[in-house]
């Protein structure tokens, strides 16, 4: 029998076909290289990819490398990857991933760090087990290890947790992420059934940080401390429902104070609708600000009405930064801010 051993090396200077034929917004800078080898008799595999710089939409990365290797132990497969991720302002963040898959178990590690010491760094470890249930369907169990990480110069702690995924069902057991007096937790079951619930609890959670995890335009800067509980049902169906009443202590918009607020969260035509109501009378009896409106995600749109009676208009400095600077004073009347995020 002829040997199927092989070596290969591929080089690419453009990923234009992915854009033109598949609509994938990826752009390559420099020459990417893919090389590897396979030895049939020894059952040894090695694959290594190196990319100098790549962009996916607005996300950019450089010095990207990824490898698969089982030459040291053919009963296992090792994955290793690293990259330098670039923020919008060019700030580099180093990220790496490592995993070892052997039989039905995978141990994985994810690490990250910023170029600025003690600003953004951490390491997460998890063990994943693959099995089949009584119906022969794949079941995946993830056991997360405790960890301490630094996000925006704040130390956060991750408690041990367990997540199980099987056909049509995801169980989350005691996922808790906390820092000092801020707490975020998830517990329950996500499925197509209305009788299964997933609970998300917030206690003095920093709103500005949570919103930084999603893509909001720079002119939309909300702040405050969130507390409350959200309950989601039928998440793995088209009838998914979410209900929450969240209090916001010290709501700010573009760094301008709007008072304490409440927000009622529901599902509206497949979108998460955050209906906000706030009143600020803290400055004096003669100054009142009332806010009512709705923020839609993932539709990425906003409809916010601010009724001002002596309201400090500092927040306009951020919204109009491309036109005006050092905006100050007090406003009287009604201001409505609405439309898709990309047009604000």
């Amino acid at each position: 029998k002829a040997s199927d051993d092989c070596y290969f090396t591929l080089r690419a200077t453009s990923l234009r076909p992915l854009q033109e034929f598949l609509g994938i917004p990826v752009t390559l800078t420099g020459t990417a290289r893919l090389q590897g080898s396979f030895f049939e008799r020894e059952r040894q595999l090695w694959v290594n990819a190196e990319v100098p710089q790549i962009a996916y939409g607005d996300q950019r990365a450089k010095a990207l490398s990824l490898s698969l290797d089982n030459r040291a132990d053919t009963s296992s497969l090792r994955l290793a990857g690293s990259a330098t991720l670039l923020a919008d302002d060019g700030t580099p963040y180093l990220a790496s991933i490592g995993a070892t898959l052997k039989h039905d178990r995978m141990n994985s590690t994810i690490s990250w760090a910023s170029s600025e010491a003690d600003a953004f760094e951490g390491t997460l470890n998890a063990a994943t087990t693959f099995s089949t249930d009584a119906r022969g369907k794949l079941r995946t169990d993830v056991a997360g290890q405790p960890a301490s990480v630094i996000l925006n110069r704040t130390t956060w702690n991750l408690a041990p947790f367990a997540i199980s995924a099987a056909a049509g069902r995801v169980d989350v057991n005691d996922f808790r992420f906390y820092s000092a007096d801020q707490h975020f937790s998830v517990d329950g079951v996500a499925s197509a059934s209305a009788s299964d619930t997933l609970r998300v609890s917030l206690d003095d959670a920093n709103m500005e940080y949570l919103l930084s995890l999603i893509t909001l335009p720079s002119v939309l800067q909300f702040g405050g401390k969130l507390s409350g509980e959200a309950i989601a049902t039928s998440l793995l169906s088209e009838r998914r429902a979410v209900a929450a009443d969240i209090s916001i202590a010290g709501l700010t918009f573009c760094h301008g104070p709007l008072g304490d607020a409440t927000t009622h969260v529901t599902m509206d035509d497949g979108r998460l609708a955050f209906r906000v109501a706030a009143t600020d009378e803290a400055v004096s009896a003669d100054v009142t600000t009332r806010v009512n409106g709705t923020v839609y995600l993932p539709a990425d749109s906003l409809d916010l009405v601010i009724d001002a009676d002596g309201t400090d208009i500092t927040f306009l400095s951020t919204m109009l930064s491309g036109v005006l600077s050092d905006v100050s004073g007090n406003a009287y009347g009604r201001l409505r801010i609405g439309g898709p995020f990309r047009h604000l």
Side-chain angles (χ1 to χ4, degrees), residues 207-208 211 221-226 247-263 275-280 289-293 295 304-306:
M207 183 179 185
E208 185 175 1
L211 291 179
Q221 300 176 11
F222 291 95
K225 294 295 185 70
L226 304 174
S247 64
I248 308 174
L251 174 66
T252 64
F253 178 59
C254 295
H255 306 295
L258 297 179
D260 293 337
T262 59
T263 179
R275 292 179 171 84
V276 181
T279 300
D280 185 12
T289 303
R290 291 184 175 85
V291 180
N292 286 279
V295 179
L304 200 66
V305 175
I306 300 176

Side-chain angles (χ1 to χ4, degrees), residues 182-185 200-205 210 226-230 246:
Q182 298 185 59
H183 293 77
F184 172 80
S185 65
V200 179
S201 299
L202 301 167
D203 187 3
D204 278 340
L210 291 177
L226 304 174
S227 297
E229 183 179 71
I246 306 295

Side-chain angles (χ1 to χ4, degrees), residues 267-271:
M267 291 296 297
D268 187 350
D269 294 329
R271 306 171 301 176

Side-chain angles (χ1 to χ4, degrees), residues 110-113 118-125 145-159 175-180 209:
I110 299 175
S111 300
W112 65 90
D118 299 326
F120 188 76
E121 63 182 69
T123 299
L124 299 179
N125 295 282
Q145 303 301 311
S148 292
V149 302
I150 299 175
L151 303 175
N152 293 336
R153 300 186 181 280
T154 301
T155 299
W156 286 81
N157 300 295
L158 178 66
F175 181 93
R176 290 184 292 118
F177 200 47
Y178 57 94
S179 173
Y209 171 72

